[in-house]
Amino acid sequence: MRTYKRKTTRCSYTTEDLKNAVKAVNDEGKSVNAAAKKFGIKRMTLTRFLKKLNEGGDSSMGYTTPRQIFSPTQEDSLKKYLLQMASIFYGYSPKDVRRLAYECAAKFDIKIPPSWTANKMAGKEWLSMFLKRNPELSIRKPKPTSHASHPKSLNAQNVKVFFEKLAEAMDRYGFTAADIWNIDETGVSTVMKPNKIVAAKGKRNVGAMTSGERGTNVTVVTAVSALGNNVPPMFVFPRKQFKTHFLNGGPPECIGAGNASGCVTDEEFYHFMQHFIKHVKPSIERPVLLVLDNHSSHLNVKTLSLAKEKGVVMLSFPPHCSHKLQPLDVSVFGPFKKYCAAAKDAWLRNNPGKTLTIYDIPKIVADSLPFALTKINIVYGFQKTGIFPYNAHIFGEEEYSPSFVTDRSEPETIESEKDPVSSTEPYPTLCVSTSQVEPEAGPSIKKNETIDLRVFSPEIVRPYPKAGPREATKTNRRKRKAAILIDSPEKNALEE
């Protein structure tokens, strides 16, 4: 029976108990009855075991696993393969796993039931028992991940360049926890995702009141330090003309701005940089480090000039790596969104029949942001990202697994190569992508490697996916990477 559970401890002795009993009979001269009583074994069981050993049989006992297609070693190899495929974001569906099992059995001449051959896949029963024998595996619903963003950018080389730049800045200026800051923005919508509620069991449609079908976003910009301090936020409203009454009920000393989109542009970020300098009070004699992403509004020459003049050292993250490297993304904005949803829910209950508008957002943020901007959350974010305390090895190999598929060297450009010394291109090193290094060795089979079919390996049947060679480009388009933005080479190149 598949789900049978033992109801008694009868006959629960091990092979070791039987061997000790046999040793007592053969070496110590005890009778079968005495040895059986001493070790708690049935007399007839010990008699059969003695006879089996004396006739030259093996010492195995108990039930075997009849009709199991793959051996434990083969199933372990299959399990590791499935885990690796999931870690690089190319996991298999249950039906694909069943097809893979059939293909592996056919490739390695393993005896299979006729139904596998007829359907070209393993049965549902096999998959169910395979998952039960390997509790590390389960059927999960994956989160959609864009091919153009996180997987290819979060690789060991990009992260290494960032930490090298971070170490350079810390060694040059001697920054402490109070001097290291992070700036980022997030959107707060007038329409929230409803929280779970208690309703009738089995009812198919359960609703919750919201302010509308589609919400309007207000951007909130804030800054935090590795010591746990924070700067009052700035609100960017989707209005061309900003009015001070938009901020009624907002956090103390907050500021606001407005534009047609409600997103942060060069002008709004320059305004927030002035706000940041006013509260942090950096200087040339006592500079501060500001880590931030590579958003275009952060690369404005006017803002970089202000930062350099006031003693703000700006260090950018590699593109599409802020979900792992940015402290605000790691430990603050997640809790903030949850507290924000609870505050919106409370507002709707306290104002029945009314619609939540963008002018109510500052009050919502004032009620929820302090719960997320706690010292514990902020300090943990800097620790988790390895920024402070400095830890260049904060991420393990599993963090870089999704980039395995696209990790490959860059091709030469179609244009004739220019001497970097004599070239008229200003600061050509900025054109070098951090992915131009040779890719690290991955789990896939190397070219011209001899395949031993005697060793069971699902990778032989379905090799790990690997992107083809990069196509040669016609232009030397600059690719952003981690950089100290106020350094003269970087700043001059941006001005150019």
Side-chain angles (χ1 to χ4, degrees):
M1 294 174 63
R2 186 191 308 121
T3 57
Y4 176 79
K5 294 182 180 179
R6 179 185 285 271
K7 300 178 179 62
T8 68
T9 58
R10 181 173 175 268
C11 300
S12 59
Y13 32 79
T14 63
T15 306
E16 194 65 29
D17 294 332
L18 282 170
K19 290 181 178 179
N20 291 334
V22 169
K23 185 177 180 181
V25 172
N26 292 337
D27 299 342
E28 300 175 11
K30 286 192 174 184
S31 66
V32 174
N33 285 342
K37 185 178 291 186
K38 178 180 178 181
F39 292 97
I41 302 172
K42 293 294 182 179
R43 179 184 61 81
M44 201 60 210
T45 300
L46 180 57
T47 302
R48 292 194 192 99
F49 193 71
L50 276 167
K51 182 179 178 182
K52 185 178 180 181
L53 288 181
N54 293 337
E55 291 177 353
D58 60 15
S59 60
S60 62
M61 59 168 289
Y63 295 106
T64 59
T65 53
R67 297 190 302 168
Q68 185 167 324
I69 307 298
F70 301 108
S71 68
T73 303
Q74 292 170 338
E75 284 203 349
D76 185 65
S77 177
L78 183 59
K79 176 193 71 176
K80 291 178 179 177
Y81 175 81
L82 294 174
L83 290 174
Q84 176 66 21
M85 289 296 293
S87 71
I88 63 177
F89 294 3
Y90 282 83
Y92 286 136
S93 67
K95 188 165 286 189
D96 287 332
V97 174
R98 291 164 57 195
R99 291 193 183 99
L100 175 64
Y102 165 75
E103 292 170 7
C104 288
K107 183 75 173 180
F108 296 99
D109 296 327
I110 298 173
K111 187 177 179 181
I112 56 177
S115 61
W116 285 34
T117 306
N119 299 324
K120 304 299 181 184
M121 68 172 69
K124 294 180 180 180
E125 182 78 8
W126 173 86
L127 178 61
S128 174
M129 298 306 296
F130 173 72
L131 294 175
K132 188 174 182 179
R133 289 190 295 268
N134 297 275
E136 300 92 340
L137 300 173
S138 64
I139 299 175
R140 306 287 300 274
K141 183 177 181 180
K143 180 181 178 181
T145 305
S146 170
H147 211 309
S149 57
H150 299 161
K152 67 169 68 172
S153 298
L154 186 69
N155 56 56
Q157 181 62 21
N158 283 349
V159 174
K160 178 183 177 184
V161 171
F162 168 74
F163 278 106
E164 287 175 351
K165 295 291 184 181
L166 177 61
E168 178 186 339
M170 295 181 73
D171 293 341
R172 188 191 306 175
Y173 299 100
F175 294 121
T176 63
D179 303 325
I180 301 177
W181 291 79
N182 173 223
I183 283 181
D184 196 22
E185 58 273 346
T186 187
V188 179
S189 175
T190 55
V191 174
M192 63 175 183
K193 182 180 179 181
N195 291 325
K196 292 182 179 180
I197 63 171
V198 178
K201 186 176 182 179
K203 189 175 180 181
R204 295 182 63 86
N205 297 317
V206 178
M209 191 60 63
T210 62
S211 295
E213 295 294 333
R214 297 180 61 183
T216 305
N217 273 337
V218 174
T219 304
V220 179
V221 189
T222 189
V224 295
S225 77
L227 197 61
N229 299 322
N230 64 86
V231 170
M234 180 178 80
F235 295 88
V236 182
F237 294 89
R239 294 291 181 269
K240 291 184 178 180
Q241 296 294 329
F242 169 74
K243 305 295 183 182
T244 55
H245 70 265
F246 292 178
L247 298 175
N248 289 345
E253 298 191 49
C254 67
I255 60 173
N259 58 45
S261 66
C263 299
V264 178
T265 64
D266 295 352
E267 183 178 348
E268 283 74 40
F269 189 73
Y270 180 79
H271 185 30
F272 184 78
M273 181 62 74
Q274 292 176 315
H275 177 66
F276 173 80
I277 292 170
K278 172 186 172 182
H279 285 272
V280 179
K281 296 180 173 59
S283 64
I284 300 298
E285 294 76 22
R286 190 178 180 277
V288 298
L289 176 65
L290 182 61
V291 290
L292 69 176
D293 57 41
N294 265 305
H295 192 268
S296 59
S297 62
H298 303 163
L299 306 177
N300 184 21
V301 175
K302 183 180 177 182
T303 303
L304 296 181
S305 300
L306 174 66
K308 189 169 185 177
E309 178 186 344
K310 297 297 184 180
V312 179
V313 180
M314 298 174 66
L315 172 63
S316 65
F317 297 115
H320 306 299
C321 294
S322 59
H323 65 296
K324 289 292 185 181
L325 289 174
Q326 184 142 245
L328 280 167
D329 278 344
V330 169
S331 65
V332 175
F333 284 159
F336 169 60
K337 292 299 179 69
K338 291 183 179 179
Y339 290 122
C340 220
K344 292 176 188 176
D345 189 48
W347 190 95
L348 289 174
R349 280 175 169 74
N350 294 329
N351 299 272
K354 293 185 178 180
T355 300
L356 184 69
T357 66
I358 59 173
Y359 310 113
D360 300 308
I361 294 297
K363 180 65 169 65
I364 297 292
V365 173
D367 293 339
S368 54
L369 188 59
F371 293 103
L373 280 178
T374 62
K375 185 172 183 178
I376 293 176
N377 284 356
I378 296 171
V379 171
Y380 176 76
F382 281 90
Q383 292 176 349
K384 188 71 174 178
T385 55
I387 294 176
F388 192 89
Y390 179 85
N391 184 3
H393 305 289
I394 190 71
F395 302 121
E397 292 183 2
E398 66 278 1
E399 303 287 351
Y400 305 128
S401 294
S403 67
F404 162 74
V405 177
T406 54
D407 244 353
R408 66 239 198 252
S409 59
E410 292 279 0
E412 298 293 335
T413 56
I414 293 178
E415 293 183 2
S416 59
E417 295 184 1
K418 299 177 182 180
D419 181 17
V421 177
S422 60
S423 174
T424 58
E425 182 74 19
Y427 302 100
T429 55
L430 288 179
C431 302
V432 180
S433 170
T434 55
S435 60
Q436 288 181 353
V437 296
E438 288 297 325
E440 297 181 0
S444 61
I445 299 173
K446 297 178 182 178
K447 191 178 291 186
N448 300 327
E449 183 179 351
T450 303
I451 299 176
D452 188 359
L453 292 180
R454 294 173 298 178
V455 179
F456 181 89
S457 175
E459 187 183 349
I460 297 175
V461 179
R462 293 191 184 183
Y464 291 107
K466 195 69 176 176
R470 297 182 188 272
E471 296 181 0
T473 56
K474 297 182 179 180
T475 60
N476 284 328
R477 185 172 58 120
R478 288 193 177 96
K479 297 182 179 180
R480 297 306 309 166
K481 60 177 181 178
I484 301 176
L485 299 176
I486 67 166
D487 280 357
S488 296
E490 299 287 343
K491 185 171 177 293
N492 292 344
L494 287 170
E495 288 178 348
E496 182 69 21

